[in-house]
């Protein structure tokens, strides 16, 4: 195995760069990439209900609502922002509604709570230093906060990729190619101009991967590296829940190398992130489970015999159901039971349920759900637990404004194809990953790089994550909504950069194969730059075939 810092190289001494010269090239590429991102960031502007805002989608507005609510009002409830005089332009479809600790219904961001909680602190620092607020100085705060907390930390991603190239790759061409891919050939920098969970996940996976490679190859064995691997792999999972697979693999590899350091350094560092994840979620929702785990009915509280669709459609509560609800909720007044608001439920549910209705009472009482069974003359009264099912919700089935993408792909086979090779395909939109697909197999079987276990882990994680999204219910088979690429797979990029190394080393002396690899990179850069001003648009392939 040739070390990147040894005096010889497979290219020969005349072709080898010393590490200082190599990193001079790397830093030039890094600065160019970050400068382009920063320039794009300062141009971000869109119209939201007629108002100029530095947001690009409902997705980032949802997180910004939480940051503003925490930073200005010390609450996770975002209706305090939505009800403000400028609240219309902050509105988002990515919100959930549930009853808060004050026994009143409130809107909350449906996004994971840890990231916006962390960003609320630098927001408060900016507010204290400059006097700027998200309400009055929205553009200044958003741009500087993104620059400091999202764009600048990409340096750690680039550093990790560069150091992996130093340690693992055998040719200078491979090392430089990796850095060009990282800086320009993926959707990572595309998404850096809008607040999202993918960037911190990618950075965390990259740093964790570098630490794990060093630990696995016994090139580093210090306590700090184990703690770094634990913290970053856990933080990746806190931002991308499917990255739990990466956390488990990281734990396993570290256990194999040093049990004591894993138990006393890796696990405490990972546990710190886990405690913060669940604590912020509980502070926000008074529940340990994230908002999007509340998308189905709760327990069946009672069953009433009969078919009541006609009366319920006319906003009438049948006497037999009213009496049952009074037994279930003794505190309900006759007035609230006589004049409830009955809304047709639209969220996907079990096949044996013909129709559903949500019954709203007074403000202090959570609604109840009526589910009419299609297989029997029965109507179930259920605990309400679907935080996405509220009056006016974008996610209700009957909503005609819902895009074709957000309605979900009915066929898992079609979804799997388009997620990998079709109009939202990770390999069709970023064809440079084809090199990773080829390179993973020699990485898994060859002793040359000393990374067979890591290669197998990358293969297993990739298959597991892609299969996970293919097997999701129809409402989740939406390619990540309106976005320029398969964003749920972005966090795998550092792993796929590693698996690309064997094939790049193998073709490094062939002008023809290097040209082919460069062509794949150029096509990938084109896809990444297609969404130059706004990553929340459909991919160019999707637009080309005119799906919608």
């Amino acid at each position: 195995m040739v070390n990147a810092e040894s005096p010889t190289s497979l290219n020969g001494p005349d072709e080898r760069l010393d590490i200082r010269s190599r990193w001079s090239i790397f830093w030039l590429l890094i600065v160019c990439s970050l400068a382009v991102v920063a320039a794009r960031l300062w141009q971000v502007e869109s119209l939201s209900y007629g108002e100029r805002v530095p947001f690009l989608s409902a997705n980032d507005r949802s997180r910004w609502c939480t940051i503003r609510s925490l930073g200005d009002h010390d609450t996770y409830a975002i209706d305090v922002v939505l009800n403000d005089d400028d609240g219309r332009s902050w509105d988002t479809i990515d919100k959930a509604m549930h009853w808060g600790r004050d026994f009143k219904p409130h809107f909350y961001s449906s996004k994971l709570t840890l990231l916006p909680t962390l960003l609320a602190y630098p927001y408060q620092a900016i507010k204290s230093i400059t006097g700027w607020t998200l309400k009055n100085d929205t553009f200044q705060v958003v741009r500087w906060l993104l620059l400091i907390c999202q764009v600048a930390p990409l340096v750690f991603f680039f550093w990790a990729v560069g150091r992996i190239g130093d340690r693992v790759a055998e040719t200078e061409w491979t090392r430089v190619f990796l850095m060009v891919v990282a800086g320009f050939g993926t959707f990572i920098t595309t998404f850096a101009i809008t607040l999202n969970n993918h960037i911190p996940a990618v950075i965390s996976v990259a740093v964790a991967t570098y630490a794990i490679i060093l630990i696995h190859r016994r090139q580093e064995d210090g306590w700090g590296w184990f703690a770094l691997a634990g913290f970053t792999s856990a933080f990746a999972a806190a931002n991308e829940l499917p990255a739990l697979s990466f956390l488990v693999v990281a734990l396993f590899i570290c256990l194999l190398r040093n049990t004591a350091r894993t138990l006393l350094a890796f696990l405490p560092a990972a546990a710190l992130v886990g405690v913060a994840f669940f604590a912020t979620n509980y502070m926000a929702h008074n529940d340990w489970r994230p908002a999007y785990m509340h998308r189905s009915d709760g327990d069946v509280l009672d069953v009433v015999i009969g078919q009541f669709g006609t009366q319920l459609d006319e906003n009438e509560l049948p006497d037999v159901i009213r009496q049952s609800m009074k037994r279930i909720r003794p505190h309900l007044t006759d007035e609230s039971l006589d004049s409830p608001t009955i809304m047709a439920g639209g969220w996907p549910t079990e096949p044996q349920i013909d129709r559903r209705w949500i019954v709203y009472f007074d403000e202090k009482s959570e609604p109840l759900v009526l589910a009419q069974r299609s297989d029997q003359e029965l109507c179930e009264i259920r605990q309400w637990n679907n935080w996405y099912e509220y009056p006016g919700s974008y996610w209700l089935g009957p909503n005609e404004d819902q895009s074709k993408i957000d309605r979900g792909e009915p066929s898992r086979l079609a979804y799997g194809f388009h997620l990998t090779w079709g109009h939202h395909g990770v390999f069709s939109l970023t064809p440079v990953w084809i090199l990773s697909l080829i390179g993973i197999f020699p990485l898994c079987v060859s002793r040359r790089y000393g990374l067979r276990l890591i290669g197998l882990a990358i293969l297993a994680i990739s298959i597991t994550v892609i299969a996970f999204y293919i097997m999701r219910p129809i409402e989740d088979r939406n390619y990540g909504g309106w976005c320029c690429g398969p964003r749920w797979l972005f966090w795998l990029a550092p792993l796929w950069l590693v698996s690309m190394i064997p094939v790049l080393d193998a073709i490094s002396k062939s002008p023809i194969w290097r040209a082919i690899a460069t062509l794949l990179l150029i096509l990938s850069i084109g896809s990444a730059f297609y969404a130059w001003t706004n990553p929340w648009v459909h991919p160019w392939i999707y637009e080309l075939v005119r799906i919608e």
Side-chain angles (χ1 to χ4, degrees):
M1 185 67 214
V2 177
N3 191 300
E5 301 183 33
S6 64
T8 59
S9 169
L10 294 184
N11 297 73
D14 57 324
E15 296 183 26
R16 182 187 179 276
L17 294 174
D18 62 86
I19 193 166
R20 180 175 297 180
S21 299
R22 181 190 310 143
W23 273 89
S24 295
I25 296 173
F26 286 176
W27 283 117
L28 181 61
L29 292 171
I30 292 169
V31 168
C32 288
S33 179
L34 293 180
V36 169
V37 173
R40 290 170 52 222
L41 173 61
W42 244 254
Q43 297 175 16
V44 169
E45 180 179 321
S46 68
L47 287 177
S48 178
Y49 299 100
E51 296 290 332
R52 292 174 56 251
V53 293
F55 316 128
L56 293 175
S57 75
N59 191 294
D60 61 340
R61 282 200 304 271
S62 179
R63 292 185 174 90
W64 284 116
C65 283
T66 300
I67 296 170
R68 178 174 164 183
S69 294
L70 284 173
D72 292 345
H73 305 286
D74 196 29
T75 177
Y76 283 93
I78 65 172
D79 41 10
V80 67
V81 172
L82 303 182
N83 294 333
D84 210 338
D85 54 10
D86 65 336
R88 184 62 171 160
S89 61
W90 286 69
D91 199 9
T92 173
I93 60 175
D94 291 324
K95 61 188 177 184
M97 186 198 76
H98 64 81
W99 268 246
R101 291 180 177 86
D102 60 355
F103 303 105
K104 293 182 179 180
H106 296 284
F107 282 113
Y108 300 83
S109 169
S110 59
K111 303 303 179 182
L112 296 175
T113 53
L114 181 56
L115 181 62
T117 302
L118 293 175
L119 292 177
Y121 290 102
Y123 165 50
Q124 289 177 321
I126 290 175
K127 186 168 66 169
S128 298
I129 294 170
T130 65
W132 294 341
T133 66
L134 275 168
K135 174 179 172 59
N136 299 321
D137 310 279
T138 312
F139 278 85
Q140 295 94 314
V141 174
V142 167
R143 286 170 175 172
W144 279 104
L145 198 57
L146 284 177
L147 184 66
I148 296 168
C149 299
Q150 185 163 280
V151 177
L154 280 172
V155 169
F156 295 103
F157 164 66
F158 295 129
W159 169 81
V161 171
R163 293 302 291 162
I164 290 171
D166 285 344
R167 297 278 187 163
V168 179
E170 297 178 340
T171 68
E172 297 300 338
W173 186 81
T174 297
R175 298 181 183 113
V176 174
F177 191 92
L178 285 176
M179 189 58 74
V180 176
V181 173
F184 304 96
T186 77
F187 289 104
I188 296 166
T189 51
T190 308
F191 266 78
I193 63 172
T194 180
L195 180 58
N196 64 88
N197 59 303
H198 310 302
I199 300 300
V202 165
I203 297 170
S204 299
V205 171
V207 175
T209 300
Y210 177 51
I212 293 165
I213 287 175
L214 296 182
I215 292 169
H216 175 66
R217 299 173 78 184
R218 301 188 187 278
Q219 294 173 318
E220 295 288 351
D221 200 32
W223 294 86
W225 287 103
F226 281 83
L228 180 64
F231 182 87
T232 50
S233 57
F235 193 68
N239 285 282
E240 297 271 11
L241 293 187
L244 279 169
S245 58
F246 177 73
L247 173 60
V248 171
V249 167
L251 174 63
F252 176 72
I253 293 174
C254 289
L255 276 172
L256 289 179
R257 286 296 175 253
N258 194 307
T259 303
R261 284 175 169 77
T262 302
L263 296 178
L264 299 177
F266 183 105
L267 281 180
L272 180 65
V273 177
V275 169
F277 176 87
F278 288 107
T280 56
N281 196 81
Y282 192 82
M283 288 189 293
H285 302 299
N286 202 29
D287 194 290
W288 299 111
R289 295 172 297 167
Y292 50 69
M293 292 185 71
H294 294 267
R295 298 194 304 176
S296 59
D297 296 336
D299 297 334
V300 176
L301 304 176
D302 197 5
V303 177
V304 178
I305 299 174
Q307 293 277 350
F308 307 101
T310 302
Q311 292 171 274
L312 294 172
D313 287 340
E314 296 177 356
N315 207 61
E316 294 181 9
L317 200 61
D319 288 337
V320 63
I321 293 180
R322 182 185 293 108
Q323 293 169 10
S324 177
M325 288 182 171
K326 183 64 176 177
R327 290 194 302 270
I328 295 170
R329 297 264 182 88
H331 68 278
L332 288 174
T333 64
D334 291 337
E335 182 180 357
S336 61
L337 284 168
D338 288 339
S339 56
T341 299
I342 303 174
M343 184 185 76
W347 198 260
T349 186
E350 308 97 309
Q352 67 269 22
I353 298 302
D354 186 29
R355 294 189 63 191
R356 291 168 61 258
W357 296 264
I358 301 94
V359 183
Y360 293 92
F361 308 103
D362 56 81
E363 194 177 58
K364 291 184 177 293
S365 300
E366 287 190 354
L368 290 170
V369 176
L370 298 175
Q372 190 78 61
R373 297 186 66 89
S374 55
D375 55 344
Q376 303 176 48
E377 293 285 319
L378 298 175
C379 183
E380 296 177 345
I381 302 177
R382 299 177 170 187
Q383 187 82 30
W384 177 80
N385 187 50
N386 193 331
W387 294 358
Y388 289 75
E389 202 169 41
Y390 52 83
S393 172
Y394 173 83
W395 305 106
L396 291 177
N399 187 353
E400 296 180 356
D401 295 330
Q402 198 173 105
S403 69
K404 180 179 178 181
I405 281 285
D406 286 331
R407 293 190 190 110
E409 169 57 58
S411 168
R412 283 194 172 91
L413 183 63
Y415 188 71
F417 170 75
H418 287 300
L419 188 64
T420 50
W421 296 98
H423 53 63
H424 278 75
V426 65
F427 300 112
S428 52
L429 290 170
T430 314
V432 74
W433 294 139
I434 296 174
L435 300 175
S436 304
L437 193 62
I438 299 171
I440 188 63
F441 297 103
L443 194 69
C444 291
V445 300
S446 174
R447 294 179 179 272
R448 182 176 179 181
Y449 295 94
L451 294 176
R452 287 190 297 176
L453 180 59
I454 289 180
L456 290 170
I458 293 173
L459 182 60
I461 291 170
S462 301
I463 293 174
T464 299
V465 171
I466 292 174
F468 169 79
Y469 283 113
I470 292 175
M471 297 309 295
R472 297 297 296 162
I474 184 172
E475 61 267 22
D476 290 341
R477 297 200 295 268
N478 62 4
Y479 308 100
W482 285 65
C483 61
C484 60
R487 62 187 179 93
W488 290 331
L489 304 179
F490 290 169
W491 67 271
L492 295 169
L495 303 180
W496 291 352
L497 285 168
V498 174
S499 66
M500 187 185 297
I501 291 175
V503 70
L504 293 178
D505 281 340
I507 68 174
S508 62
K509 292 186 178 180
S510 169
I512 294 177
W513 285 108
R514 283 168 61 160
I516 292 174
T518 302
L519 176 61
L520 295 177
L521 174 58
I522 291 171
L523 293 174
S524 300
I525 293 173
S527 284
F529 276 64
Y530 170 79
W532 173 268
T533 57
N534 185 358
W536 299 107
V537 296
H538 288 316
W540 66 269
I541 298 178
Y542 188 94
E543 296 287 2
L544 184 66
V545 297
R546 299 181 184 275
I547 299 296
E548 186 175 25

mmCIF file of all heavy atoms in Angstrom, residues 407-427:
data_model
loop_
_atom_site.group_PDB
_atom_site.id
_atom_site.type_symbol
_atom_site.label_atom_id
_atom_site.label_comp_id
_atom_site.label_asym_id
_atom_site.label_seq_id
_atom_site.Cartn_x
_atom_site.Cartn_y
_atom_site.Cartn_z
ATOM 1 N N ARG A 407 -48.346 13.757 -4.681
ATOM 2 C CA ARG A 407 -49.360 12.720 -4.486
ATOM 3 C C ARG A 407 -48.737 11.330 -4.390
ATOM 4 O O ARG A 407 -49.368 10.397 -3.921
ATOM 5 C CB ARG A 407 -50.377 12.751 -5.641
ATOM 6 C CG ARG A 407 -51.222 14.025 -5.664
ATOM 7 C CD ARG A 407 -52.354 13.910 -6.658
ATOM 8 N NE ARG A 407 -53.006 15.190 -6.834
ATOM 9 C CZ ARG A 407 -52.925 15.935 -7.941
ATOM 10 N NH1 ARG A 407 -52.215 15.504 -8.972
ATOM 11 N NH2 ARG A 407 -53.528 17.093 -8.024
ATOM 12 N N GLY A 408 -47.493 11.206 -4.833
ATOM 13 C CA GLY A 408 -46.787 9.943 -4.709
ATOM 14 C C GLY A 408 -46.894 9.077 -5.950
ATOM 15 O O GLY A 408 -47.863 9.163 -6.708
ATOM 16 N N GLU A 409 -45.882 8.253 -6.165
ATOM 17 C CA GLU A 409 -45.842 7.324 -7.297
ATOM 18 C C GLU A 409 -46.500 6.005 -6.891
ATOM 19 O O GLU A 409 -46.031 5.334 -5.963
ATOM 20 C CB GLU A 409 -44.385 7.089 -7.715
ATOM 21 C CG GLU A 409 -44.177 5.965 -8.698
ATOM 22 C CD GLU A 409 -44.985 6.134 -9.976
ATOM 23 O OE1 GLU A 409 -44.804 7.170 -10.651
ATOM 24 O OE2 GLU A 409 -45.809 5.237 -10.276
ATOM 25 N N PRO A 410 -47.597 5.603 -7.549
ATOM 26 C CA PRO A 410 -48.307 4.383 -7.141
ATOM 27 C C PRO A 410 -47.469 3.118 -7.291
ATOM 28 O O PRO A 410 -47.588 2.200 -6.496
ATOM 29 C CB PRO A 410 -49.521 4.359 -8.080
ATOM 30 C CG PRO A 410 -49.669 5.763 -8.577
ATOM 31 C CD PRO A 410 -48.290 6.326 -8.622
ATOM 32 N N SER A 411 -46.638 3.044 -8.312
ATOM 33 C CA SER A 411 -45.882 1.834 -8.600
ATOM 34 C C SER A 411 -44.500 1.890 -7.949
ATOM 35 O O SER A 411 -43.708 2.785 -8.234
ATOM 36 C CB SER A 411 -45.727 1.649 -10.111
ATOM 37 O OG SER A 411 -44.784 0.653 -10.408
ATOM 38 N N ARG A 412 -44.211 0.920 -7.086
ATOM 39 C CA ARG A 412 -42.881 0.848 -6.483
ATOM 40 C C ARG A 412 -41.812 0.554 -7.532
ATOM 41 O O ARG A 412 -40.679 1.030 -7.431
ATOM 42 C CB ARG A 412 -42.852 -0.208 -5.386
ATOM 43 C CG ARG A 412 -43.512 0.233 -4.085
ATOM 44 C CD ARG A 412 -43.155 -0.716 -2.942
ATOM 45 N NE ARG A 412 -43.629 -0.185 -1.673
ATOM 46 C CZ ARG A 412 -44.795 -0.438 -1.134
ATOM 47 N NH1 ARG A 412 -45.642 -1.238 -1.789
ATOM 48 N NH2 ARG A 412 -45.141 0.080 0.015
ATOM 49 N N LEU A 413 -42.171 -0.243 -8.537
ATOM 50 C CA LEU A 413 -41.220 -0.564 -9.594
ATOM 51 C C LEU A 413 -40.830 0.694 -10.361
ATOM 52 O O LEU A 413 -39.632 0.944 -10.609
ATOM 53 C CB LEU A 413 -41.822 -1.600 -10.543
ATOM 54 C CG LEU A 413 -40.905 -2.098 -11.678
ATOM 55 C CD1 LEU A 413 -39.691 -2.808 -11.089
ATOM 56 C CD2 LEU A 413 -41.672 -3.035 -12.614
ATOM 57 N N ALA A 414 -41.830 1.487 -10.740
ATOM 58 C CA ALA A 414 -41.552 2.742 -11.446
ATOM 59 C C ALA A 414 -40.776 3.705 -10.556
ATOM 60 O O ALA A 414 -39.853 4.391 -11.013
ATOM 61 C CB ALA A 414 -42.862 3.382 -11.914
ATOM 62 N N TYR A 415 -41.141 3.744 -9.281
ATOM 63 C CA TYR A 415 -40.460 4.646 -8.349
ATOM 64 C C TYR A 415 -38.989 4.257 -8.206
ATOM 65 O O TYR A 415 -38.102 5.116 -8.219
ATOM 66 C CB TYR A 415 -41.153 4.603 -6.994
ATOM 67 C CG TYR A 415 -40.643 5.653 -6.018
ATOM 68 C CD1 TYR A 415 -40.929 6.998 -6.211
ATOM 69 C CD2 TYR A 415 -39.876 5.288 -4.913
ATOM 70 C CE1 TYR A 415 -40.469 7.951 -5.334
ATOM 71 C CE2 TYR A 415 -39.407 6.238 -4.024
ATOM 72 C CZ TYR A 415 -39.703 7.570 -4.239
ATOM 73 O OH TYR A 415 -39.247 8.531 -3.367
ATOM 74 N N GLY A 416 -38.729 2.962 -8.058
ATOM 75 C CA GLY A 416 -37.353 2.506 -7.934
ATOM 76 C C GLY A 416 -36.531 2.849 -9.168
ATOM 77 O O GLY A 416 -35.367 3.253 -9.055
ATOM 78 N N PHE A 417 -37.127 2.699 -10.360
ATOM 79 C CA PHE A 417 -36.403 3.040 -11.588
ATOM 80 C C PHE A 417 -36.094 4.526 -11.654
ATOM 81 O O PHE A 417 -34.955 4.925 -11.911
ATOM 82 C CB PHE A 417 -37.210 2.614 -12.820
ATOM 83 C CG PHE A 417 -36.644 3.145 -14.110
ATOM 84 C CD1 PHE A 417 -35.499 2.578 -14.655
ATOM 85 C CD2 PHE A 417 -37.241 4.217 -14.765
ATOM 86 C CE1 PHE A 417 -34.958 3.080 -15.842
ATOM 87 C CE2 PHE A 417 -36.716 4.720 -15.943
ATOM 88 C CZ PHE A 417 -35.561 4.151 -16.481
ATOM 89 N N HIS A 418 -37.114 5.356 -11.436
ATOM 90 C CA HIS A 418 -36.908 6.797 -11.575
ATOM 91 C C HIS A 418 -36.030 7.364 -10.460
ATOM 92 O O HIS A 418 -35.366 8.389 -10.648
ATOM 93 C CB HIS A 418 -38.257 7.516 -11.602
ATOM 94 C CG HIS A 418 -39.005 7.319 -12.873
ATOM 95 N ND1 HIS A 418 -38.503 7.706 -14.094
ATOM 96 C CD2 HIS A 418 -40.224 6.766 -13.124
ATOM 97 C CE1 HIS A 418 -39.370 7.406 -15.050
ATOM 98 N NE2 HIS A 418 -40.417 6.829 -14.488
ATOM 99 N N LEU A 419 -35.993 6.705 -9.311
ATOM 100 C CA LEU A 419 -35.131 7.166 -8.221
ATOM 101 C C LEU A 419 -33.661 6.873 -8.503
ATOM 102 O O LEU A 419 -32.780 7.554 -7.974
ATOM 103 C CB LEU A 419 -35.548 6.484 -6.911
ATOM 104 C CG LEU A 419 -34.879 6.986 -5.622
ATOM 105 C CD1 LEU A 419 -35.247 8.434 -5.343
ATOM 106 C CD2 LEU A 419 -35.274 6.101 -4.443
ATOM 107 N N THR A 420 -33.390 5.897 -9.359
ATOM 108 C CA THR A 420 -32.009 5.502 -9.640
ATOM 109 C C THR A 420 -31.555 5.894 -11.047
ATOM 110 O O THR A 420 -30.501 6.513 -11.213
ATOM 111 C CB THR A 420 -31.848 3.987 -9.446
ATOM 112 O OG1 THR A 420 -32.890 3.295 -10.180
ATOM 113 C CG2 THR A 420 -31.965 3.619 -7.978
ATOM 114 N N TRP A 421 -32.360 5.557 -12.075
ATOM 115 C CA TRP A 421 -31.924 5.790 -13.450
ATOM 116 C C TRP A 421 -32.897 6.646 -14.261
ATOM 117 O O TRP A 421 -32.629 6.932 -15.435
ATOM 118 C CB TRP A 421 -31.749 4.453 -14.173
ATOM 119 C CG TRP A 421 -30.661 3.616 -13.579
ATOM 120 C CD1 TRP A 421 -30.806 2.596 -12.681
ATOM 121 C CD2 TRP A 421 -29.257 3.727 -13.823
ATOM 122 N NE1 TRP A 421 -29.584 2.065 -12.350
ATOM 123 C CE2 TRP A 421 -28.612 2.736 -13.035
ATOM 124 C CE3 TRP A 421 -28.481 4.568 -14.622
ATOM 125 C CZ2 TRP A 421 -27.231 2.567 -13.046
ATOM 126 C CZ3 TRP A 421 -27.103 4.397 -14.626
ATOM 127 C CH2 TRP A 421 -26.485 3.411 -13.847
ATOM 128 N N GLY A 422 -34.010 7.059 -13.669
ATOM 129 C CA GLY A 422 -35.028 7.793 -14.413
ATOM 130 C C GLY A 422 -34.947 9.291 -14.245
ATOM 131 O O GLY A 422 -33.872 9.876 -14.096
ATOM 132 N N HIS A 423 -36.134 9.946 -14.224
ATOM 133 C CA HIS A 423 -36.170 11.405 -14.246
ATOM 134 C C HIS A 423 -35.712 12.052 -12.947
ATOM 135 O O HIS A 423 -35.412 13.247 -12.920
ATOM 136 C CB HIS A 423 -37.567 11.907 -14.630
ATOM 137 C CG HIS A 423 -38.691 11.347 -13.806
ATOM 138 N ND1 HIS A 423 -38.814 11.560 -12.463
ATOM 139 C CD2 HIS A 423 -39.760 10.575 -14.176
ATOM 140 C CE1 HIS A 423 -39.901 10.966 -12.020
ATOM 141 N NE2 HIS A 423 -40.500 10.350 -13.028
ATOM 142 N N HIS A 424 -35.665 11.303 -11.855
ATOM 143 C CA HIS A 424 -35.068 11.780 -10.602
ATOM 144 C C HIS A 424 -33.886 10.904 -10.198
ATOM 145 O O HIS A 424 -33.511 10.853 -9.027
ATOM 146 C CB HIS A 424 -36.100 11.770 -9.468
ATOM 147 C CG HIS A 424 -37.003 12.961 -9.441
ATOM 148 N ND1 HIS A 424 -38.029 13.143 -10.329
ATOM 149 C CD2 HIS A 424 -37.023 14.058 -8.627
ATOM 150 C CE1 HIS A 424 -38.662 14.279 -10.062
ATOM 151 N NE2 HIS A 424 -38.068 14.856 -9.043
ATOM 152 N N GLY A 425 -33.285 10.234 -11.165
ATOM 153 C CA GLY A 425 -32.298 9.211 -10.878
ATOM 154 C C GLY A 425 -30.982 9.739 -10.346
ATOM 155 O O GLY A 425 -30.413 10.696 -10.884
ATOM 156 N N VAL A 426 -30.494 9.093 -9.315
ATOM 157 C CA VAL A 426 -29.216 9.486 -8.736
ATOM 158 C C VAL A 426 -28.076 9.216 -9.720
ATOM 159 O O VAL A 426 -27.075 9.956 -9.734
ATOM 160 C CB VAL A 426 -28.990 8.749 -7.397
ATOM 161 C CG1 VAL A 426 -28.854 7.254 -7.599
ATOM 162 C CG2 VAL A 426 -27.782 9.294 -6.662
ATOM 163 N N PHE A 427 -28.212 8.205 -10.573
ATOM 164 C CA PHE A 427 -27.165 7.900 -11.549
ATOM 165 C C PHE A 427 -27.387 8.609 -12.881
ATOM 166 O O PHE A 427 -26.416 8.887 -13.595
ATOM 167 C CB PHE A 427 -27.078 6.388 -11.780
ATOM 168 C CG PHE A 427 -26.747 5.616 -10.538
ATOM 169 C CD1 PHE A 427 -27.679 4.778 -9.948
ATOM 170 C CD2 PHE A 427 -25.503 5.743 -9.939
ATOM 171 C CE1 PHE A 427 -27.381 4.072 -8.797
ATOM 172 C CE2 PHE A 427 -25.192 5.050 -8.776
ATOM 173 C CZ PHE A 427 -26.136 4.207 -8.201
#
